[in-house]
Amino acid sequence: MMINHFFPFCFNFRKTVYSSLLKSSDVGFKFTLTYCYWDVCETSRLETASKFSIRSYTLLTGEINVSHEEALDILKVAWHRKGMDVKSPQIGSLLAGAKTAWDLLCEEKTVKHIITSCADLDLILGGGINCKEVTEVGGVPGIGKTQLGIQLAINVQIPKVYGGLGGQAVYIDTEGSFMVERVIQIAEACIQRLKGMSCSNVRKEEEDHRKLHVDDFLSNIFYFRVCNYTEQIAAVNHMDKFVEEHKEVKIIIVDSVTFHFRQEFEDLALRTRLLGGMAQKLMKLAVKYDNAVVLINQVTMKVSGGSFQLAPALGETWSHACTNRLILYWNGNSRSAYIDKSPYLQSASAPFLITPEGICNVGCNKSIKMPQ
């Protein structure tokens, strides 16, 4: 009886105290708390040590309010104390990425977005460009594909106190269309909008206002200029190591993924294999590092129903390389974006404007709204 009365106290104590203590930078202290948590679970007889050792790290993340990486560290300690081999098939499958459908649902609830600065466009995208996914952006020349890419490279840097990711960007330029002058314009406009917003912490807001400088935005965009398809493949292959060393990178933009592969290939089968390999590496980067990958694509003409229509380049096979496909198009004299493909977003369109300040709503000067 005494144990049954004692455990709720321990459980509530753990809920309130562990969430802050486990965020300590002292790894040894975290592991000490892990042993305490283990003992409480084992002593209570409500959750055995063996069940704890194979529990979902996603559920553990929610219970004690720590990151997925910290939850995995806790589980590794638990496995070690139980005498379980972290390389065994049971444990190895978890560390290799095996998840339940419940894990996936929990992750979807915490998915991160990068806003486009156009509220209507963010709405049809479900909050913005999703992390852990590959998004393709296609459209005719001059429609605003590169403008959107630059806007995302700036918006990914919005500080966390304003609802942003506070991250960095990688921009792989194959066409030479990246213009630093344009980056400065959009960064200055973003800074002005942020200074007009309120954040969750007044003191932190004052500190961040002093830190908001165009130079900082520029220094957080890593630019790669590639001049042929060999360099492009090499740059993508290098990304795994680069992102590992620059853990704040939250978006990788390739502008455009198409250019060199349309210019330099006669062997279409070889082109398909190379593109497929590159697409797999980019998808792996998105999932492994919780990044958004944006692939800007050109368009071509295809015959459909006896008439010619514009379609994204590289054919139908390439369409499987992305999670979502966003098509930018002219609607009269106005620009619009249309969701052409997505496993979960409804097909919808939204108008947008390109101004000296960047992407924005049509006829609207409202401040940007951060995803919740």
Side-chain angles (χ1 to χ4, degrees):
M1 291 294 294
M2 193 168 182
I3 291 177
N4 292 334
H5 288 297
F6 174 70
F7 178 72
F9 167 77
C10 291
F11 182 81
N12 292 329
F13 174 79
R14 183 256 298 170
K15 290 266 293 185
T16 56
V17 177
Y18 274 32
S19 60
S20 58
L21 295 184
L22 279 170
K23 294 185 179 299
S24 167
S25 59
D26 187 342
V27 176
F29 186 52
K30 289 182 182 180
F31 285 177
T32 300
L33 287 173
T34 300
Y35 287 126
C36 295
Y37 180 40
W38 173 276
D39 288 334
V40 170
C41 289
E42 200 168 34
T43 304
S44 70
R45 297 179 182 176
L46 297 179
E47 182 173 19
T48 65
S50 60
K51 287 183 179 180
F52 172 76
S53 66
I54 61 174
R55 70 186 294 112
S56 163
Y57 76 90
T58 304
L59 293 179
L60 186 59
T61 297
E63 282 190 2
I64 59 178
N65 192 26
V66 295
S67 68
H68 287 175
E69 291 77 10
E70 289 173 322
L72 276 176
D73 285 341
I74 291 171
L75 289 179
K76 288 177 183 178
V77 174
W79 295 330
H80 179 73
R81 181 171 180 181
K82 184 66 178 176
M84 300 176 70
D85 183 6
V86 296
K87 295 182 179 179
S88 67
Q90 181 186 32
I91 304 305
S93 62
L94 174 61
L95 295 180
K99 301 175 183 178
T100 67
W102 175 255
D103 292 332
L104 297 178
L105 178 61
C106 292
E107 288 182 3
E108 286 182 6
K109 293 180 179 179
T110 59
V111 68
K112 300 173 183 176
H113 307 279
I114 303 170
I115 63 169
T116 65
S117 293
C118 174
D120 293 337
L121 182 53
D122 289 336
L123 181 62
I124 67 172
L125 288 170
I129 301 297
N130 282 1
C131 292
K132 284 195 172 182
E133 293 180 356
V134 177
T135 301
E136 181 184 15
V137 179
V140 298
I143 191 64
K145 303 185 297 295
T146 298
Q147 301 292 319
L148 179 58
I150 294 174
Q151 186 76 63
L152 293 172
I154 293 297
N155 288 354
V156 74
Q157 302 180 51
I158 294 175
K160 294 180 181 180
V161 291
Y162 294 102
L165 300 185
Q168 298 173 324
V170 168
Y171 204 103
I172 301 176
D173 184 7
T174 67
E175 301 184 23
S177 55
F178 184 88
M179 304 298 294
V180 177
E181 293 81 2
R182 186 62 176 138
V183 178
I184 293 174
Q185 284 183 325
I186 296 176
E188 289 175 342
C190 181
I191 291 172
Q192 292 304 314
R193 283 195 295 263
L194 291 177
K195 288 183 176 179
M197 296 173 59
S198 59
C199 74
S200 55
N201 187 315
V202 176
R203 181 177 299 176
K204 185 68 175 174
E205 179 179 354
E206 294 176 354
E207 294 176 0
D208 283 330
H209 279 177
R210 290 194 293 268
K211 294 178 181 178
L212 291 174
H213 297 290
V214 172
D215 292 348
D216 295 327
F217 279 86
L218 294 178
S219 63
N220 284 323
I221 300 176
F222 301 103
Y223 176 78
F224 293 81
R225 178 70 170 101
V226 297
C227 299
N228 53 58
Y229 77 89
T230 305
E231 291 182 1
Q232 183 174 338
I233 293 174
V236 172
N237 289 339
H238 176 65
M239 278 301 107
D240 198 331
K241 181 179 179 181
F242 185 85
V243 177
E244 181 69 31
E245 295 173 351
H246 301 80
K247 297 186 183 297
E248 295 304 313
V249 169
K250 294 302 178 184
I251 187 170
I252 299 172
I253 303 162
V254 184
D255 182 13
S256 70
V257 71
T258 322
F259 183 70
H260 296 307
F261 287 91
R262 296 185 73 184
Q263 305 292 329
E264 306 173 23
F265 271 92
E266 295 181 359
D267 188 342
L268 296 182
L270 175 60
R271 185 184 81 166
T272 300
R273 289 195 299 272
L274 292 175
L275 283 169
M278 185 174 64
Q280 288 179 349
K281 289 183 175 63
L282 290 168
M283 285 187 280
K284 183 178 179 180
L285 285 170
V287 175
K288 181 178 180 180
Y289 296 106
D290 194 16
N291 290 339
V293 174
V294 176
L295 306 178
I296 295 175
N297 196 358
Q298 300 172 347
V299 293
T300 186
M301 298 293 294
K302 74 172 184 178
V303 179
S304 178
S307 61
F308 290 96
Q309 295 181 355
L310 286 173
L314 302 178
E316 292 296 328
T317 302
W318 175 254
S319 66
H320 301 290
C322 60
T323 309
N324 305 307
R325 172 178 279 174
L326 185 69
I327 302 297
L328 310 185
Y329 65 96
W330 289 104
N331 185 10
N333 294 324
S334 302
R335 292 179 168 90
S336 291
Y338 172 74
I339 297 178
D340 182 63
K341 172 205 167 186
S342 176
Y344 59 91
L345 295 173
Q346 295 182 348
S347 295
S349 61
F352 68 95
L353 280 179
I354 296 179
T355 69
E357 291 76 27
I359 306 290
C360 67
N361 274 359
V362 173
C364 180
N365 293 320
K366 293 180 181 179
S367 61
I368 54 178
K369 182 179 180 181
M370 300 300 172
Q372 299 299 320

